[in-house]
Amino acid sequence: MIKVAKFGGSSVANAAQFRKVKKIIDEDPSRKFIVTSACGREDHEDHKVTDLLYLCQAHIRYGVSYDSIFKMIEDKYQRIKTELGLKIDLEAEFSRIRSQLETDLPTDYLVSRGEYLTGRCLSEYLGIPFVDASEIMAFKYDGTIDMVRTQAQLEPYSRKYERLLIPGFYGSMPNGVIKVMSRGGSDITGAVIANIVNADIYENWTDVSGFMVVDPKIIPNPVRIKRITYNELREMSYMGANVLHDDAIFPVKTKNIPINIRNTNEPENPGTMIMEDCSRQDELDPPHFITGITGKKDFTILTVTKNHISSEIGFLRRTLSIFEEYHVSIENVPISVDSFSIIVTTASVNDCLYEIIGRIKEEMHPDRVMVQDHLSQIAVVGRGMRAHPGMSGKLFAEFGHSGINIRTINQGADELSIVVGVENRDFETAIRCIYQKFISEENKIT
Ligand code: ASP
């Protein structure tokens, strides 16, 4: 059994968190590849090391002294070293970084030092060999990860050592220059390593016990999602639920490696398993019809009406191309006989809404264009809904009982999600009523 265990910033925020990580690592020898983020925030007043490093860089760029910020970073690592009794020569590490700062230093090198230093401290504390990500994680010149070179570079280390600790978030270009990924990129490092070593599980340790069926800000203490498929997760994150970096899914999905979202502060909780196919587990432990409920507020609907619109070939395409010209992404297009609606986020048309309407009127000669704001979209996601007639009927009946007016409805043919549009003011009530009916009432597939 091979597990890749990635620890996020909150899991390594201070010495107390390091101790929790050690306990997790010590109790399961199959956790062979450890990937770490840079120290995150200890509390609301604190700052992530990566944010501080970006701030240092901005100060350098504008010729402002960065000493006080750099000192905050030094102090953080110094505290970890003292509290855990580590031997790492932090003075030497920081003076090396400082000397590089005086030169024409690329930003990426500087911001990668958060993961590097956290990795060095954690490696010593866990007693697991440290391997610099710049020697393993390889980028191509186009910025994508070079899986072939990464595999070749990792191999000698994984042959030599039982266990390895690798800092996340950065790697090196073909010329050796350090490059960082986008924010939250340690998730990607973990996923790439899991792919290369053919891990049985990719554990992603964070500060929540997996995904919740619904946002706890709307329903306190909601049910945890035990299992979710990659495709369901895509639907959920598209509508706003986010725990994992989007690009971390592909490397593990291609090899069918499950991702387990776990909580460093509650290690006994099994968290959420993300899998390509949950059907075997679902047979033993039937899931709810609904896996998750998510949504976003503040959409705008433009409704274009014209007699016999549906028989006018190209009308829809030409109208949509006007949005394309303004780089506005379209969320949804419900169509009827003499009209169609175009749903976009309100933020995306803030500056161009009236120009777009003017162009539609001028070029398409509609009978009417109507604009309505304050729309929310709610996605009800669930593999259990497939092939179960009556699901949408039950859902809509529930809305009717609660006096919620449904503005739009959209369901893909894969039956993985139903997206409904409601007024912003009905958003929370609608989510509560779906949760009440489909989750609280133990409405499971039998
Ligand atoms: N430390 C980086 C960030 O804050 C990368 C990561 O934590 O995954 O974005």
Side-chain angles (χ1 to χ4, degrees):
M1 173 77 98
I2 298 180
K3 291 182 184 169
V4 173
K6 179 253 160 179
F7 292 89
S10 58
S11 302
V12 286
N14 55 26
Q17 293 302 90
F18 269 54
R19 290 196 181 96
K20 293 181 191 170
V21 171
K22 183 164 170 55
K23 205 158 166 269
I24 293 166
I25 294 302
D26 285 352
E27 78 193 5
D28 186 348
S30 64
R31 294 185 173 125
K32 291 192 193 308
F33 296 85
I34 324 298
V35 174
T36 185
S37 285
C39 304
R41 280 152 32 124
E42 283 185 65
D43 51 44
H44 288 302
E45 256 109 78
D46 194 22
H47 302 281
K48 288 179 169 191
V49 164
T50 309
D51 290 337
L52 294 174
L53 288 165
Y54 272 113
L55 206 56
C56 272
Q57 205 279 332
H59 279 63
I60 294 168
R61 188 150 30 102
Y62 293 106
V64 179
S65 163
Y66 57 84
D67 283 349
S68 57
I69 301 165
F70 203 73
K71 174 97 177 26
M72 285 164 80
I73 303 171
E74 283 177 311
D75 287 351
K76 191 181 265 288
Y77 287 103
Q78 195 58 54
R79 271 198 309 277
I80 292 176
K81 173 178 168 171
T82 314
E83 282 181 42
L84 299 176
L86 304 179
K87 293 201 181 62
I88 179 171
D89 187 352
L90 285 177
E91 284 72 30
E93 293 289 354
F94 281 114
S95 72
R96 193 173 314 136
I97 299 172
R98 267 183 193 276
S99 70
Q100 296 273 16
L101 288 180
E102 312 301 330
T103 66
D104 189 13
L105 175 86
T107 307
D108 287 33
Y109 166 80
L110 177 59
V111 294
S112 73
R113 295 306 87 186
E115 267 68 14
Y116 169 81
L117 288 169
T118 309
R120 289 290 311 273
C121 292
L122 190 61
S123 140
E124 185 189 336
Y125 183 58
L126 298 178
I128 293 180
F130 172 89
V131 184
D132 197 331
S134 60
E135 288 172 33
I136 295 183
M137 294 297 295
F139 289 101
K140 296 181 190 166
Y141 274 119
D142 65 7
T144 58
I145 289 168
D146 184 337
M147 294 296 281
V148 176
R149 200 156 61 89
T150 304
Q151 174 157 19
Q153 297 187 151
L154 176 63
E155 228 223 314
Y157 291 105
S158 54
R159 232 183 306 118
K160 185 164 171 201
Y161 301 110
E162 257 299 286
R163 289 175 124 179
L164 285 183
L165 189 139
I166 304 156
F169 186 47
Y170 70 95
S172 54
M173 298 292 273
N175 60 1
V177 168
I178 284 188
K179 177 181 158 48
V180 294
M181 302 169 187
S182 53
R183 296 301 305 265
S186 302
D187 284 345
I188 307 173
T189 308
V192 166
I193 305 281
N195 172 301
I196 289 175
V197 303
N198 291 314
D200 295 279
I201 292 188
Y202 170 31
E203 291 181 338
N204 200 289
W205 292 85
T206 171
D207 56 359
V208 287
S209 298
F211 301 114
M212 300 299 132
V213 169
V214 67
D215 184 347
K217 285 193 227 84
I218 300 177
I219 311 264
N221 301 317
V223 173
R224 170 178 55 92
I225 301 177
K226 282 193 208 165
R227 295 181 296 278
I228 185 168
T229 65
Y230 290 120
N231 290 342
E232 287 175 307
L233 187 66
R234 289 286 305 154
E235 301 271 338
M236 297 278 291
S237 48
Y238 169 66
M239 268 294 156
N242 253 328
V243 173
L244 201 67
H245 195 298
D246 275 352
D247 296 345
I249 304 219
F250 187 70
V252 276
K253 183 174 152 76
T254 45
K255 286 215 172 156
N256 220 343
I257 300 166
I259 308 177
N260 189 193
I261 308 289
R262 299 285 292 266
N263 188 350
T264 302
N265 307 316
E266 199 195 347
E268 57 294 343
N269 191 316
T272 298
M273 261 317 182
I274 313 167
M275 290 185 273
E276 178 67 22
D277 175 13
C278 304
S279 51
R280 215 159 40 90
Q281 289 79 358
D282 284 354
E283 263 174 41
L284 303 170
D285 172 23
H288 290 98
F289 287 107
I290 287 176
T291 306
I293 310 158
T294 173
K296 277 198 264 189
K297 284 185 174 174
D298 295 329
F299 291 86
T300 294
I301 317 184
L302 284 95
T303 304
V304 181
T305 310
K306 187 176 185 183
N307 264 339
H308 306 298
I309 216 172
S310 52
S311 53
E312 219 180 290
I313 291 171
F315 194 95
L316 181 61
R317 180 188 53 75
R318 281 186 285 131
T319 310
L320 296 184
S321 69
I322 297 175
F323 286 80
E324 191 179 338
E325 276 179 46
Y326 287 88
H327 296 284
V328 174
S329 157
I330 291 163
E331 303 287 327
N332 205 340
V333 188
I335 303 181
S336 66
V337 191
D338 287 333
S339 73
F340 58 82
S341 299
I342 298 158
I343 303 180
V344 293
T345 61
T346 307
S348 68
V349 289
N350 257 345
D351 300 334
C352 55
L353 181 64
Y354 292 102
E355 280 180 53
I356 291 179
I357 296 172
R359 292 274 309 272
I360 297 176
K361 285 188 172 162
E362 202 179 291
E363 293 168 31
M364 310 307 297
H365 310 292
D367 297 336
R368 196 153 47 107
V369 180
M370 200 172 67
V371 179
Q372 289 155 296
D373 286 325
H374 311 299
L375 180 88
S376 292
Q377 299 239 86
I378 298 175
V380 181
V381 179
R383 59 190 181 281
M385 298 195 294
R386 196 175 290 157
H388 278 92
M391 272 302 299
S392 46
K394 278 191 201 166
L395 188 70
F396 301 146
E398 256 336 273
F399 280 11
H401 294 148
S402 307
I404 296 165
N405 183 33
I406 299 178
R407 299 290 306 276
T408 60
I409 300 171
N410 187 29
Q411 186 194 284
D414 59 3
E415 295 182 64
L416 203 56
S417 70
I418 299 174
V419 180
V420 287
V422 299
E423 300 288 340
N424 272 351
R425 63 167 180 271
D426 288 334
F427 181 71
E428 282 85 6
T429 322
I431 290 183
R432 276 190 212 108
C433 105
I434 309 167
Y435 186 85
Q436 185 63 33
K437 177 72 189 167
F438 293 96
I439 305 292
S440 303
E441 293 181 6
E442 280 299 304
N443 208 332
K444 287 195 180 174
I445 301 168
T446 43

